[in-house]
């Protein structure tokens, strides 16, 4: 049972004890201290993504011309985005009543599902942070912003999971992972050499724009609205942390939108230059062929007069 529905009939779990991960075991899992679950799930998540980073390049070899680290990183990022999106969507379906509850109930609500989703993401962001620092860090603005984003997210998720507070609001930030799926697919298509005019690429771009607007822009506005209406009951420290996180996410979303737009513009311009070059070559060949034909006819006419 999740959310506020405490009047649901109890279930006899003794009959399902033979299941490897039975409902009775899950019931015991819920009794674990929140801090214990935080460290346990985060640690398991980190190991999971570490193993995935070793296995993924073997199952999906790096395409020709692509950098191995970039390819591996995108595969792991897409894996995280897909798994967390499924968890978040399921959480919103199962616990929909809490998202429509009053502000004070909403802020104090926490559940195993929300705790798991946030802790699982903490493990991923720690793994990605260390992977960037150890193997890819170059001191550029892009890398610094990525690392700063990861620090903010890990701090925010860890704080609210540790205190079992504000989870129903923080979980909304993970809705952005739905859009991240299409962002990572976009990059994977580029690395595999799929042209921007390909139908799959165009369909993914449409889904990317659609989910970017609803999951990042609308979601961001709703989270900021939630912070405002909760300001009269939230502790000052948590409120400042939430607002700081919202501001950092807004900056990241603006930079991401600008990067995507600039990248697509560059690709379309490059494609247009190639098309113009091909058209110019065809025109030159046509003119050259016409000149050769005219010269040939004049030569033949000259020989005819001479005869």
């Amino acid at each position: 049972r999740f959310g506020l529905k405490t009047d649901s009939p109890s279930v006899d779990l003794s009959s399902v004890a033979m299941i490897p991960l039975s409902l009775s075991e899950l019931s015991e899992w819920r009794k674990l201290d929140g801090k214990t679950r935080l460290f346990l799930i985060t640690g398991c998540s980190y190991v999971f993504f570490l193993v995935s980073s070793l296995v993924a390049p073997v199952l999906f070899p790096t395409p020709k011309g692509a950098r191995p680290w970039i390819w591996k990183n995108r595969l792991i990022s897409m894996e995280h985005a897909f798994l967390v999106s499924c968890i978040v969507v399921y959480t919103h379906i199962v616990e929909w009543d809490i998202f429509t509850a009053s502000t004070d109930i909403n802020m104090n609500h926490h559940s195993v599902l929300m705790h798991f989703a946030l802790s699982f993401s903490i493990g991923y962001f720690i793994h990605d942070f260390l992977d960037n620092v150890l193997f890819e860090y170059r001191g550029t603005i892009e890398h610094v912003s990525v690392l700063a984003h990861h620090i903010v997210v890990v701090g925010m998720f860890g704080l609210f999971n540790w205190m079992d507070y504000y989870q129903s609001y923080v979980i909304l930030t993970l809705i952005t992972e739905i859009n991240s799926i299409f962002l990572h697919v976009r990059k994977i298509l580029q690395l595999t050499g799929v042209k921007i005019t390909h139908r799959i690429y165009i369909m993914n771009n449409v889904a990317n724009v659609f989910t970017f607007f609803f999951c990042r822009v609308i979601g961001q506005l709703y989270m900021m609205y939630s912070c405002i209406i909760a300001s009269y009951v939230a502790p000052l420290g948590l409120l400042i942390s939430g607002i700081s996180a919202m501001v950092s996410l807004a900056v990241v979303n603006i930079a991401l939108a600008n990067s995507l737009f600039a990248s697509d513009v560059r690709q379309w311009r490059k494609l247009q230059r190639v098309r113009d070059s091909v058209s110019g070559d065809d025109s030159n060949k046509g003119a050259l062929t016409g000149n050769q034909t005219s010269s040939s006819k004049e030569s033949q006419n000259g020989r005819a007069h001479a005869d």
Side-chain angles (χ1 to χ4, degrees), residues 27-41 110-112 115-116 119 161-164 167:
S27 179
E28 293 298 322
W29 171 260
R30 294 191 187 100
K31 296 178 182 178
L32 287 177
D33 178 71
K35 298 176 178 61
T36 303
R37 289 202 305 261
L38 172 62
F39 287 111
L40 185 60
I41 298 173
H110 58 273
S111 70
V112 174
H115 202 285
F116 178 83
S119 300
N161 251 9
W162 180 272
M163 301 183 68
D164 282 333
Q167 289 182 5

Side-chain angles (χ1 to χ4, degrees), residues 49-220:
F49 287 109
L50 180 61
V51 173
S52 296
S53 67
L54 299 175
V55 175
V58 178
L59 297 178
F60 306 97
T62 306
K64 184 179 180 180
R67 291 179 53 209
W69 186 89
I70 295 293
W71 174 253
K72 178 200 69 174
N73 184 263
R74 289 298 177 174
L75 290 178
I76 302 305
S77 297
M78 187 176 69
E79 178 186 33
H80 166 259
F82 177 77
L83 293 176
V84 170
S85 295
C86 293
I87 297 172
V88 170
V89 170
Y90 180 72
T91 302
H92 279 74
I93 293 174
V94 173
E95 304 197 35
W96 178 254
D97 53 350
I98 195 61
F99 296 102
T100 58
S102 60
T103 302
D104 53 342
I105 294 177
N106 202 326
M107 289 181 58
N108 290 280
H109 176 75
H110 58 273
S111 70
V112 174
L113 272 176
M114 293 180 181
H115 202 285
F116 178 83
L118 296 175
S119 300
F120 185 75
S121 290
I122 291 174
Y124 162 75
F125 285 115
I126 292 176
H127 169 267
D128 196 56
F129 179 91
L130 295 177
D131 197 38
N132 271 275
V133 170
L134 296 176
F135 302 107
E136 186 62 17
Y137 181 71
R138 298 180 179 182
T140 62
I141 296 178
E142 180 181 0
H143 281 94
V144 171
S145 62
V146 169
L147 297 180
H149 166 267
H150 286 12
I151 292 173
V152 171
V153 170
V154 170
M156 180 179 66
F157 286 7
L159 174 64
F160 295 131
N161 251 9
W162 180 272
M163 301 183 68
D164 282 333
Y165 196 75
Y166 224 51
Q167 289 182 5
S168 56
Y169 286 124
V170 179
I171 197 73
L172 292 172
T173 62
L174 290 178
I175 293 179
T176 59
E177 293 300 328
I178 297 175
N179 173 247
S180 296
I181 296 175
F182 301 102
L183 287 175
H184 297 313
V185 169
R186 176 180 179 273
K187 185 62 178 180
I188 289 174
L189 291 175
Q190 292 176 352
L191 293 174
T192 53
V194 176
K195 297 181 179 180
I196 60 176
T197 55
H198 196 282
R199 182 177 300 177
I200 295 178
Y201 194 98
I202 295 175
M203 291 174 60
N204 183 76
N205 261 10
V206 172
N208 189 13
V209 172
F210 181 81
T211 55
F212 188 96
F213 178 75
F214 282 98
C215 297
R216 290 187 182 270
V217 178
I218 300 298
Q220 182 78 42

Side-chain angles (χ1 to χ4, degrees), residues 229-282:
I229 63 174
S231 59
Y232 70 97
V233 291
L236 181 60
L238 292 180
L239 184 62
I240 293 176
S241 300
I243 293 176
S244 300
M246 294 302 102
V247 172
S248 65
L249 290 175
V251 173
V252 168
N253 288 335
I254 293 173
L256 179 60
N258 179 69
S259 176
L260 292 174
F261 178 76
S263 176
D264 282 345
V265 169
R266 285 196 302 268
Q267 290 187 64
W268 279 109
R269 287 178 176 175
K270 182 179 179 180
L271 179 63
Q272 190 61 42
R273 285 196 300 268
V274 172
R275 288 177 174 176
D276 292 343
S277 177
V278 172
S279 300
D281 292 341
D282 291 340

